[in-house]
mmCIF file of all heavy atoms in Angstrom:
data_model
loop_
_atom_site.group_PDB
_atom_site.id
_atom_site.type_symbol
_atom_site.label_atom_id
_atom_site.label_comp_id
_atom_site.label_asym_id
_atom_site.label_seq_id
_atom_site.Cartn_x
_atom_site.Cartn_y
_atom_site.Cartn_z
ATOM 1 N N LYS A 152 108.388 178.848 241.506
ATOM 2 C CA LYS A 152 108.055 178.345 242.922
ATOM 3 C C LYS A 152 106.889 177.406 242.952
ATOM 4 O O LYS A 152 106.492 176.959 244.032
ATOM 5 C CB LYS A 152 107.967 179.424 243.930
ATOM 6 C CG LYS A 152 109.155 180.428 244.106
ATOM 7 C CD LYS A 152 110.450 179.672 244.302
ATOM 8 C CE LYS A 152 111.623 180.547 244.448
ATOM 9 N NZ LYS A 152 112.980 179.869 244.591
ATOM 10 N N VAL A 153 106.392 176.935 241.791
ATOM 11 C CA VAL A 153 105.287 175.974 241.680
ATOM 12 C C VAL A 153 105.915 174.760 242.195
ATOM 13 O O VAL A 153 107.010 174.284 241.833
ATOM 14 C CB VAL A 153 104.738 175.960 240.333
ATOM 15 C CG1 VAL A 153 103.754 174.756 240.144
ATOM 16 C CG2 VAL A 153 104.054 177.217 239.969
ATOM 17 N N ILE A 154 105.045 174.002 243.060
ATOM 18 C CA ILE A 154 105.455 172.659 243.467
ATOM 19 C C ILE A 154 105.151 171.648 242.399
ATOM 20 O O ILE A 154 104.153 171.638 241.690
ATOM 21 C CB ILE A 154 104.674 172.205 244.641
ATOM 22 C CG1 ILE A 154 104.945 173.185 245.898
ATOM 23 C CG2 ILE A 154 105.042 170.885 245.172
ATOM 24 C CD1 ILE A 154 106.288 173.360 246.250
ATOM 25 N N ILE A 155 106.287 170.816 242.105
ATOM 26 C CA ILE A 155 106.243 169.829 241.028
ATOM 27 C C ILE A 155 106.396 168.397 241.627
ATOM 28 O O ILE A 155 107.363 168.137 242.280
ATOM 29 C CB ILE A 155 107.456 169.955 240.077
ATOM 30 C CG1 ILE A 155 107.349 171.441 239.369
ATOM 31 C CG2 ILE A 155 107.397 168.941 238.947
ATOM 32 C CD1 ILE A 155 108.630 171.827 238.573
ATOM 33 N N THR A 156 105.397 167.719 241.592
ATOM 34 C CA THR A 156 105.309 166.399 242.115
ATOM 35 C C THR A 156 105.783 165.339 241.082
ATOM 36 O O THR A 156 105.670 165.583 239.865
ATOM 37 C CB THR A 156 103.856 165.945 242.662
ATOM 38 O OG1 THR A 156 102.945 166.029 241.501
ATOM 39 C CG2 THR A 156 103.393 166.935 243.700
ATOM 40 N N THR A 157 106.268 164.135 241.466
ATOM 41 C CA THR A 157 106.905 163.320 240.558
ATOM 42 C C THR A 157 106.683 161.839 241.078
ATOM 43 O O THR A 157 106.231 161.517 242.128
ATOM 44 C CB THR A 157 108.426 163.496 240.478
ATOM 45 O OG1 THR A 157 109.057 163.014 241.742
ATOM 46 C CG2 THR A 157 108.903 164.952 240.347
ATOM 47 N N THR A 158 107.020 160.885 240.120
ATOM 48 C CA THR A 158 106.846 159.427 240.431
ATOM 49 C C THR A 158 108.430 158.997 240.304
ATOM 50 O O THR A 158 109.027 159.176 239.202
ATOM 51 C CB THR A 158 106.197 158.772 239.453
ATOM 52 O OG1 THR A 158 104.753 159.199 239.475
ATOM 53 C CG2 THR A 158 106.153 157.169 239.766
ATOM 54 N N VAL A 159 109.011 158.568 241.332
ATOM 55 C CA VAL A 159 110.450 158.073 241.456
ATOM 56 C C VAL A 159 110.554 156.775 240.621
ATOM 57 O O VAL A 159 109.839 155.855 240.890
ATOM 58 C CB VAL A 159 110.948 157.906 242.848
ATOM 59 C CG1 VAL A 159 112.351 157.358 242.799
ATOM 60 C CG2 VAL A 159 110.890 159.220 243.666
ATOM 61 N N LYS A 160 111.634 156.654 239.762
ATOM 62 C CA LYS A 160 111.848 155.435 239.006
ATOM 63 C C LYS A 160 112.924 154.675 239.692
ATOM 64 O O LYS A 160 112.862 153.466 239.962
ATOM 65 C CB LYS A 160 112.121 155.776 237.621
ATOM 66 C CG LYS A 160 110.997 156.481 236.819
ATOM 67 C CD LYS A 160 109.722 155.707 236.818
ATOM 68 C CE LYS A 160 108.702 156.223 236.030
ATOM 69 N NZ LYS A 160 107.431 155.555 236.111
ATOM 70 N N THR A 161 114.102 155.331 239.734
ATOM 71 C CA THR A 161 115.292 154.673 240.464
ATOM 72 C C THR A 161 116.024 155.668 241.372
ATOM 73 O O THR A 161 115.863 156.864 241.265
ATOM 74 C CB THR A 161 116.311 154.232 239.408
ATOM 75 O OG1 THR A 161 116.859 155.359 238.755
ATOM 76 C CG2 THR A 161 115.755 153.210 238.407
ATOM 77 N N LEU A 162 116.697 155.167 242.320
ATOM 78 C CA LEU A 162 117.315 156.012 243.364
ATOM 79 C C LEU A 162 118.675 155.321 243.835
ATOM 80 O O LEU A 162 118.749 154.198 243.776
ATOM 81 C CB LEU A 162 116.419 156.116 244.655
ATOM 82 C CG LEU A 162 117.017 157.042 245.816
ATOM 83 C CD1 LEU A 162 117.061 158.489 245.405
ATOM 84 C CD2 LEU A 162 116.126 156.873 246.932
ATOM 85 N N SER A 163 119.686 156.207 243.885
ATOM 86 C CA SER A 163 120.967 155.711 244.355
ATOM 87 C C SER A 163 121.431 156.648 245.384
ATOM 88 O O SER A 163 120.692 157.757 245.790
ATOM 89 C CB SER A 163 122.054 155.544 243.267
ATOM 90 O OG SER A 163 122.513 156.828 242.960
ATOM 91 N N SER A 164 122.632 156.446 246.036
ATOM 92 C CA SER A 164 123.057 157.400 246.967
ATOM 93 C C SER A 164 123.591 158.693 246.439
ATOM 94 O O SER A 164 123.903 159.638 247.160
ATOM 95 C CB SER A 164 124.273 156.759 247.721
ATOM 96 O OG SER A 164 125.303 156.424 246.988
ATOM 97 N N THR A 165 123.759 158.707 245.107
ATOM 98 C CA THR A 165 124.298 159.959 244.447
ATOM 99 C C THR A 165 123.174 160.512 243.402
ATOM 100 O O THR A 165 123.596 161.693 242.912
ATOM 101 C CB THR A 165 125.498 159.464 243.651
ATOM 102 O OG1 THR A 165 125.280 158.614 242.727
ATOM 103 C CG2 THR A 165 126.651 159.083 244.645
ATOM 104 N N GLY A 166 122.199 159.895 243.177
ATOM 105 C CA GLY A 166 121.201 160.605 242.214
ATOM 106 C C GLY A 166 119.870 159.864 242.123
ATOM 107 O O GLY A 166 119.656 158.885 242.802
ATOM 108 N N ILE A 167 119.028 160.342 241.261
ATOM 109 C CA ILE A 167 117.699 159.971 241.188
ATOM 110 C C ILE A 167 117.132 160.016 239.798
ATOM 111 O O ILE A 167 117.570 160.974 239.029
ATOM 112 C CB ILE A 167 116.763 160.741 242.206
ATOM 113 C CG1 ILE A 167 115.248 160.107 242.241
ATOM 114 C CG2 ILE A 167 116.635 162.123 241.696
ATOM 115 C CD1 ILE A 167 114.511 160.808 243.248
ATOM 116 N N SER A 168 116.244 159.138 239.197
ATOM 117 C CA SER A 168 115.613 159.330 238.079
ATOM 118 C C SER A 168 114.094 159.249 238.369
ATOM 119 O O SER A 168 113.689 158.556 239.241
ATOM 120 C CB SER A 168 115.949 158.168 236.985
ATOM 121 O OG SER A 168 115.470 156.953 237.440
ATOM 122 N N LEU A 169 113.272 160.107 237.639
ATOM 123 C CA LEU A 169 111.972 160.213 238.039
ATOM 124 C C LEU A 169 111.060 160.771 236.864
ATOM 125 O O LEU A 169 111.664 161.182 235.768
ATOM 126 C CB LEU A 169 111.810 161.150 239.176
ATOM 127 C CG LEU A 169 112.508 162.552 239.057
ATOM 128 C CD1 LEU A 169 111.699 163.561 238.239
ATOM 129 C CD2 LEU A 169 113.057 163.216 240.325
ATOM 130 N N GLU A 170 109.814 160.701 236.958
ATOM 131 C CA GLU A 170 108.867 161.229 235.973
ATOM 132 C C GLU A 170 107.968 162.269 236.593
ATOM 133 O O GLU A 170 107.247 161.900 237.476
ATOM 134 C CB GLU A 170 108.097 160.099 235.378
ATOM 135 C CG GLU A 170 107.127 160.367 234.306
ATOM 136 C CD GLU A 170 106.357 159.227 233.751
ATOM 137 O OE1 GLU A 170 106.823 158.077 233.950
ATOM 138 O OE2 GLU A 170 105.398 159.387 233.000
#
Side-chain angles (χ1 to χ4, degrees):
K152 303 302 178 182
V153 171
I154 298 300
I155 301 171
T156 59
T157 72
T158 300
V159 176
K160 299 300 182 181
T161 66
L162 180 65
S163 79
S164 63
T165 58
I167 188 170
S168 68
L169 50 88
E170 182 176 342

